[in-house]
Amino acid sequence: MSNDTIMAFFKPQPLVAVEDTYWGYLIRSERGESFGFVLLQSACLVLGMACLVMAAGVATLTPLMFGVALTPFRMAVVALLGAVAAYLLWFASRGTRTEIHIDTSIREIHQVIRNRAGRPTILQTHDFAQITDIATQRDDASGTALLVLQGNDTVLSICIAMASAPRLDALHDRLARDVIGDPRVT
């Protein structure tokens, strides 16, 4: 047995899960979180906490230690550090798990990111009328395929899922029926 055969056997395949809901369904990638993105969010958490501590220190310790009132310059520094801390802490709590929500009740597609606690944040919303084509781009070398929704606008391209080609065929047919309203799909 060759080394390539062994590596192909142990190569993990990206998984896609489709979960039905009362409003439609959601498509979730079961791949692990990106290490680089987790590292970036962790760094933002540490920097955000440091900015928050510095803002509290400037606001409370400076007047206590030196006996001077808070000047407009110090208040501006506190406001700036507080705003930077709020933004960094918000980004750190945002999440890393991406999902696509197909809302058939209001005919919209939501690109969502979910944090570790399970709270979703909607990144973008697209109307079904904007979608004109559903394409499956196959990569024969790796045996995977990419399912992409494309709009009449050349800029609109939504990557739905990456998995083995047979796994995406059923999802392709369901999206063609629900999103585009393709009568050829039953």
Side-chain angles (χ1 to χ4, degrees):
M1 202 160 27
S2 73
N3 195 23
D4 291 334
T5 308
I6 293 171
M7 291 306 292
F9 180 77
F10 287 108
K11 185 176 180 183
Q13 293 294 323
L15 300 175
V16 175
V18 178
E19 183 179 325
D20 290 318
T21 62
Y22 69 93
W23 43 261
Y25 51 97
L26 59 95
I27 302 164
R28 179 180 298 136
S29 174
E30 298 296 328
R31 289 184 300 171
E33 298 173 348
S34 167
F35 178 72
F37 200 70
V38 171
L39 190 65
L40 178 65
Q41 283 188 330
S42 300
C44 285
L45 177 67
V46 170
L47 287 173
M49 292 301 290
C51 287
L52 196 61
V53 167
M54 286 190 292
V58 169
T60 58
L61 294 179
T62 304
L64 289 176
M65 292 178 72
F66 300 112
V68 293
L70 225 79
T71 62
F73 175 72
R74 285 193 186 112
M75 289 190 307
V77 169
V78 168
L80 180 66
L81 285 172
V84 169
Y87 180 73
L88 289 173
L89 292 174
W90 169 79
F91 180 76
S93 69
R94 204 161 169 207
T96 57
R97 298 277 179 158
T98 58
E99 298 176 349
I100 304 293
H101 293 187
I102 308 295
D103 194 338
T104 56
S105 63
I106 58 173
R107 302 189 50 79
E108 285 184 346
I109 298 169
H110 304 283
Q111 290 178 290
V112 176
I113 192 165
R114 191 173 293 271
N115 66 6
R116 289 176 194 90
R119 196 182 92 234
T121 302
I122 295 177
L123 299 176
Q124 289 183 332
T125 300
H126 306 284
D127 191 42
F128 281 5
Q130 293 175 323
I131 306 300
T132 58
D133 189 29
I134 300 173
T136 304
Q137 300 169 353
R138 299 175 193 271
D139 182 14
D140 294 330
S142 66
T144 61
L146 197 63
L147 188 63
V148 179
L149 295 179
Q150 296 172 338
N152 51 8
D153 184 6
T154 57
V155 177
L156 180 61
S157 181
I158 305 168
C159 179
I160 297 293
M162 183 177 90
S164 62
R167 286 186 63 104
L168 291 182
D169 288 340
L171 183 58
H172 179 277
D173 293 343
R174 185 173 183 180
L175 285 170
R177 182 186 67 237
D178 294 341
V179 176
I180 297 179
D182 192 350
R184 295 176 289 176
V185 180
T186 57

